[in-house]
Each structure stands twice: as C-alpha cells, then as structure tokens.
Amino acid sequence: MTTDLTLDNPRTPHARTKRGINWEKWGWIYMRVSGVLLVVLIFGHLFVNLFLGDGVNQIDFAFVAGKLADPFWQWYDFALLVLALIHGTNGMRTIVNDYVAKASIRRILHAALLSSTAVLLVLGTLVLFTFDPCPAGADPELVASFCEDIL
Amino acid sequence: MPAKASGAGASSSSATIEVPVPRRSLIPGGTLYRGNEGMWSWVLHRITGVAIYFFLLVHILDTALVRVSPEAYNVVISAYKTEIMGLGELALVGAIGFHALNGLRIILVDFWGVGTRHQKAMFYVVLGVWLVLMIGFTPRHLMHVFGG
C-alpha cells in the first residue's frame, strides 16, 4: 500500500478549498440572529395570546381577525412565520445530517424539509395578506364587533 | 513548506518516541463533556427543538383556517381548549422557554469572551430563569384551562 499524505506545517494559514458563498457559515449565523429575534417575538406572541385577557379561551375567529386587521400584527405574524419556520427547518436539517448516514435517505429527508417549508411559507404569507376579517355572508356572531358597519 | 509523511518507504533510521500512558480520568464516563451540564443542555435543546418544529407545522395549518371560514377555524381551535391540550400547551410553553433561554446561552458561549468558561453556571441561570417564568405562567394558564 502506498500512501502519500501531505501535511501542512502547524501554523500554515487555513486555505479555503471551495470558492463561493459559505452556506454553512451563513446558516450558523442565521440560527443565532433569528434566534434572538424569535425570543422577543415568541415571548410577545405567547404573552398576548395565552397570558393576557382570557388566555387560550379567548382565541377564536373574531380574536384573530381583530389582530390581523391591524398591519402591525400582520407583519408581526409574517416575521414569526418566516423566521421560525426557516429556523426550525435548518435545525431539522442539522439533525438529519447528524443521524442519517445513508446519502439517499438524507437527500429524501432534505427534499421533504425543503418542500414542506416552501409550501407553508407560501400558504402562510397568502393567508396573512389576503385575509378578510369580515368575510361576506359570515355569521355575525362569529366575526369581530367592528364588522357590524360592513356586513 | 509542507512536511511529507509517507507510509511505505519512510526513512530507515526512525527514532523511538516515548509516549506516556494517559492517566485514568477521575470523571466517570471518561470525558469532560459526557454526562454533564453541557451534554444535558444539548440533549434538551434538540428534543425541545424537534417538538416545537412539529407543533409549528400544525400551528401554521390551523391558523390558515381563518382564510377558509370562521366556523372551520373555531371548530379546530376549540380542540386547543380541552383539558388534555391545555396540559400540552403548558409543556409547549415550557419547551419554548427552555429552547429560547438555552439558545441565548449558546450565543453567549459562542460570542462572549469568557462564555465557554461560564457555560455550566449559565446552564443553571437558564434553569433558574425558566423556573421563574413557568411559576408565573403555569397557575394563570391552568386557571384558564380548568376554569378557576
């Protein structure tokens, strides 16, 4: 057996072998930046929906409509959607890379993560920005009080 | 200049190097990492992360029902108001609280100059702050769920 192993001297500077964007580095940075933002956004989300008022019992269509009629909460929830879903998907990608040794299964799981994330991002964005808090013909008992002037 | 280390056909006059036998570790488990705060924070971070991820998938879908009809949304969201799900929400909030606080600890380990040195202490700070938050949230949520 002939091995020809070339070793650099201990203090040789690290030479980058691949050109282009270092996606792993940016993924690492993304987890930390989005993580800090999510701590603030999700604590606010839980405080308003589960702690204030009637807690979990207050959540119904009228409650959500009342929030999403306000552009502040629309963009708040949009930020939550994008930051949390990509943060979660990238975390799942890390776990797949850690535990799935077989390349073909890894590829399938990566594809499943990517496609489900893409679908949910599009769905969630459409819901947030095409949402009508007072849908025509809706039961007046179920919609927000401000719909009385419209319906 | 790169030094060459070749297997077959190396220099014939090789000196014998004395390598001391490693001392037996006093810590059970054999490493500084395994079985200690660093490992358990990592394990909990993974488990809570996966749990939160799958809830997030469901939560985006149930919220999307506001675009279908008020009736559809109210029917599905009423499932969150049962007693069993109320306890599930407590577990979810606990998981999110730990993942959030330990995530901040990870960031401090990465970016704070003395973060690695204080990672154990910071783990206990995470547990302490988590306990305070849960003591604040739990009674109020249980009152909402069980109608106090």
Side-chain angles (χ1 to χ4, degrees):
Chain A
M1 199 177 87
T2 54
T3 47
D4 192 25
L5 183 70
T6 312
L7 293 172
D8 288 338
N9 282 323
R11 280 178 184 77
T12 308
H14 169 66
R16 285 197 55 188
T17 48
K18 268 167 82 178
R19 300 231 135 255
I21 301 165
N22 186 348
W23 288 103
E24 286 299 332
K25 182 187 84 175
W26 285 106
W28 186 92
I29 291 170
Y30 176 85
M31 292 310 265
R32 278 140 187 88
V33 174
S34 65
V36 171
L37 295 171
L38 283 166
V39 170
V40 177
L41 289 172
I42 292 178
F43 272 50
H45 180 78
L46 293 174
F47 188 69
V48 169
N49 296 310
L50 284 185
F51 195 83
L52 292 182
D54 240 347
V56 69
N57 297 324
Q58 71 194 334
I59 302 170
D60 59 12
F61 181 85
F63 177 80
V64 177
K67 276 180 78 188
L68 289 183
D70 184 346
F72 172 80
W73 288 113
Q74 262 183 328
W75 286 103
Y76 191 101
D77 285 4
F78 178 70
L80 268 182
L81 170 75
V82 174
L83 291 169
L85 190 55
I86 297 174
H87 186 101
T89 305
N90 195 42
M92 291 298 286
R93 187 186 67 94
T94 304
I95 289 174
V96 166
N97 287 343
D98 275 359
Y99 298 120
V100 182
K102 221 170 168 221
S104 57
I105 296 172
R106 210 162 51 226
R107 245 196 312 278
I108 291 167
L109 290 173
H110 284 163
L113 283 172
L114 188 67
S115 53
S116 57
T117 300
V119 167
L120 287 175
L121 274 180
V122 171
L123 175 74
T125 306
L126 281 175
V127 166
L128 284 173
F129 293 106
T130 68
F131 174 65
D132 181 0
C134 306
D139 184 351
E141 292 285 306
L142 299 179
V143 293
S145 52
F146 57 74
C147 292
E148 279 174 31
D149 312 329
I150 306 158
L151 288 172
Chain B
M1 194 189 104
K4 291 241 173 178
S6 33
S11 62
S12 50
S13 59
S14 53
T16 318
I17 307 161
E18 289 283 342
V19 179
V21 178
R23 261 188 301 173
R24 273 193 76 170
S25 173
L26 298 170
I27 299 151
T31 72
L32 281 168
Y33 188 75
R34 203 163 70 197
N36 288 320
E37 291 86 344
M39 186 193 91
W40 290 113
S41 67
W42 176 86
V43 168
L44 284 171
H45 204 74
R46 287 227 148 167
I47 293 171
T48 53
V50 173
I52 296 163
Y53 174 76
F54 283 110
F55 170 73
L56 178 64
L57 298 187
V58 176
H59 189 47
I60 293 169
L61 292 172
D62 67 53
T63 306
L65 289 173
V66 295
R67 193 68 185 79
V68 177
S69 76
E71 288 82 1
Y73 182 77
N74 286 352
V75 164
V76 171
I77 222 67
S78 67
Y80 283 107
K81 298 172 185 174
T82 62
E83 292 173 353
I84 298 280
M85 286 298 269
L87 295 175
E89 285 140 24
L90 189 62
L92 177 74
V93 168
I96 291 170
F98 177 81
H99 197 87
L101 295 168
N102 192 54
L104 296 177
R105 171 182 161 274
I106 292 171
I107 292 170
L108 286 173
V109 168
D110 287 339
F111 291 109
W112 188 28
V114 291
T116 44
R117 215 186 305 158
H118 298 305
Q119 65 93 6
K120 275 190 192 188
M122 285 196 291
F123 179 63
Y124 290 107
V125 171
V126 164
L127 292 184
V129 176
W130 179 83
L131 203 64
V132 169
L133 289 176
M134 292 311 283
I135 288 170
F137 176 76
T138 307
R140 192 174 164 81
H141 180 66
L142 291 181
M143 279 193 277
H144 287 140
V145 173
F146 295 96

